[in-house]
Amino acid sequence: MNFIIAFLVVMVFMFVGEWVSSASHAFIPSVFVSAVLFVIGFWTILPKDVVTQASYGNEFVSICVAMLLVHLGTLMSLKELLEQWKAVCIALLGVCGTMILCLSIGTWIFDWHTVIAAVPPLTGGLVSALLMTNGLKAQGVTALIALPVSMFVIHSVVGYPLTSLMLRQEGDRLIKQFKGNGSKLTEEEANSSTGSQAFKSQNVFNMKPEYETPAFTLARVAAVALLSTWCAGLINNAINPNVVCLIFGVIAHQFGFLEDNALNRAGVFNWLMYGLLAYVFAQLSVTTPSIMGNIILQIIVLIFLGLLGMFLAARVLAKPFGMSWQMAYACSLTSLFGFPADYILTSEVAHTVAGTKDEEQYLLHHMMPKMLVGGFATVSVASVIIASVFLKLI
């Protein structure tokens, strides 16, 4: 019975977030509301392991992350993926802006060790927060152990609505552009599978419909995920396994091994996405009001400096890279949380801002690949490097 109660609580927090997002027309993102509910719950009556009791433990997450990333590969073409080098540059340069301001002005205000412990999670979300926490424990720096995850808690609360605001402004601009072009999708936009519910990819198996079962789809997605992680291991994870899963998903889709929107076709996408989100929110349980009260000033000041550094980089570099400053800033902000929040925020904004299915398709085509690739460049790749380097500076 306790397991069912735990699952109920997790789902209630999820749907309340979705309802608030819908009622506010995505001005208040669902992930922001759910994160706040989890923080309040953990600080009051919720057991720390409520997410694990709800069946979303480490094993589940290890499976769903790889499969979700392969699935996202079925939402874009190889051409779309390769065209996002500008988003990668903008996101990484935004991270550089954060580090420059924090390491210069931040170390002038606070001591060196505090800044070094706080900056990686500010430029790599949960991944860097966990890496820094484990590294600080290993080095016996107990005074700073709470700082990385506390930074993740607070900057998530700030980052979700700020990113949503930037995407809404970009969405409004794109809708005006779309209407100015006669409200017609180009062939590339129409054929883009990002956000589309039409399964246009040709299945190489050519099997009868009764054999195209959800289990068959899941088995193929799992096979691609397994191949991806195995290949990443062959090169000692020189390329992050998450990135390899995305790339292999794109390739499998291009060759017809996987259909468009594979996990939605199998009917399990939302289940896996909720599980991954719940696991991310579970990390909020390690903080307490007393811990937060002791370090809140450092966190707020460093978040301000970090966001300012990203903003300045976005304003300066947006035009040379052919983006609006809002889109450039949103790409940089993906470093705060990465996947799956970048996917959910972009989907919510596109669905809310668009008045028609064609407008939603247009928005997803122009925003989703940039957000996903920007998030992978920062959270899945740069964050690991930054955290590894900063641990040596403690």
Side-chain angles (χ1 to χ4, degrees):
M1 184 174 176
N2 288 340
F3 301 119
I4 299 177
I5 294 174
F7 180 78
L8 173 62
V9 169
V10 170
M11 288 302 111
V12 167
F13 286 0
M14 294 296 179
F15 84 69
V16 169
E18 292 173 340
W19 283 12
V20 172
S21 176
S22 296
S24 65
H25 301 288
F27 274 108
I28 306 176
S30 63
V31 286
F32 166 74
V33 177
S34 296
V36 171
L37 290 175
F38 271 100
V39 169
I40 294 173
F42 287 134
W43 287 2
T44 53
I45 61 173
L46 276 189
K48 303 296 185 182
D49 63 343
V50 64
V51 171
T52 302
Q53 288 188 44
S55 79
Y56 300 127
N58 292 332
E59 295 81 5
F60 175 87
V61 169
S62 298
I63 294 171
C64 80
V65 167
M67 294 189 68
L68 281 169
L69 293 176
V70 170
H71 164 81
L72 290 179
T74 71
L75 299 181
M76 63 182 73
S77 68
L78 193 58
K79 180 182 178 182
E80 284 178 317
L81 186 63
L82 295 175
E83 285 178 346
Q84 301 314 316
W85 65 270
K86 293 181 180 179
V88 172
C89 292
I90 285 287
L92 293 178
L93 290 170
V95 167
C96 291
T98 292
M99 290 192 295
I100 290 171
L101 281 193
C102 288
L103 291 176
S104 56
I105 300 176
T107 52
W108 179 65
I109 302 174
F110 305 113
D111 68 90
W112 171 261
H113 292 90
T114 297
V115 175
I116 294 300
V119 167
L122 187 54
T123 59
L126 179 61
V127 175
S128 285
L130 295 179
L131 286 173
M132 290 301 296
T133 298
N134 293 335
L136 290 169
K137 287 180 181 177
Q139 295 186 29
V141 189
T142 57
L144 298 175
I145 285 176
L147 186 56
V149 176
S150 299
M151 172 64 80
F152 169 75
V153 172
I154 299 298
H155 82 50
S156 295
V157 172
V158 176
Y160 293 148
L162 181 58
T163 305
S164 181
L165 176 62
M166 293 299 103
L167 289 174
R168 284 188 63 88
Q169 292 182 7
E170 174 68 2
D172 291 336
R173 185 189 71 82
L174 288 172
I175 291 297
K176 292 179 182 177
Q177 177 179 291
F178 182 61
K179 291 179 178 179
N181 294 334
S183 298
K184 292 182 179 180
L185 296 170
T186 65
E187 183 178 353
E188 181 183 2
E189 292 159 355
N191 291 333
S192 169
S193 57
T194 304
S196 172
Q197 299 302 313
F199 306 115
K200 300 179 285 296
S201 179
Q202 294 298 314
N203 190 329
V204 296
F205 298 98
N206 292 319
M207 302 176 73
K208 293 181 179 180
E210 57 264 33
Y211 295 110
E212 291 284 349
T213 65
F216 181 53
T217 300
L218 285 171
R220 283 179 285 147
V221 173
V224 175
L226 178 62
L227 179 63
S228 303
T229 53
W230 179 72
C231 289
L234 287 179
I235 56 176
N236 295 319
N237 295 333
I239 301 177
N240 190 281
N242 292 342
V243 178
V244 179
C245 285
L246 177 69
I247 295 172
F248 276 39
V250 172
I251 295 172
H253 171 250
Q254 291 289 108
F255 284 96
F257 184 76
L258 294 175
E259 300 89 344
D260 298 312
N261 243 340
L263 293 182
N264 269 320
R265 185 183 179 91
V268 299
F269 173 75
N270 287 330
W271 175 268
L272 295 176
M273 185 63 73
Y274 288 140
L276 181 55
L277 271 177
Y279 177 78
V280 171
F281 294 143
Q283 310 309 313
L284 306 178
S285 65
V286 302
T287 63
T288 65
S290 59
I291 291 175
M292 200 72 79
N294 293 330
I295 54 180
I296 189 66
L297 177 62
Q298 296 95 313
I299 290 175
I300 291 175
V301 172
L302 291 173
I303 288 175
F304 172 77
L305 291 175
L307 295 180
L308 178 61
M310 290 183 192
F311 173 76
L312 294 175
R315 288 306 299 255
V316 171
L317 299 170
K319 189 172 182 180
F321 281 94
M323 293 186 198
S324 68
W325 72 265
Q326 290 91 342
M327 188 71 247
Y329 195 24
C331 285
S332 296
L333 288 169
T334 58
S335 65
L336 299 180
F337 40 79
F339 177 78
D342 50 6
Y343 175 87
I344 293 172
L345 289 169
T346 309
S347 299
E348 283 183 351
V349 169
H351 182 71
T352 303
V353 172
T356 66
K357 287 293 183 183
D358 280 352
E359 289 179 359
E360 185 174 354
Q361 176 86 351
Y362 185 80
L363 293 181
L364 288 170
H365 174 81
H366 286 277
M367 295 194 301
M368 185 67 81
K370 294 182 178 67
M371 292 295 287
L372 288 177
V373 173
F376 285 122
T378 53
V379 174
S380 296
V381 181
S383 65
V384 178
I385 299 172
I386 292 170
S388 300
V389 173
F390 274 51
L391 276 172
K392 297 177 181 178
L393 301 176
I394 292 290

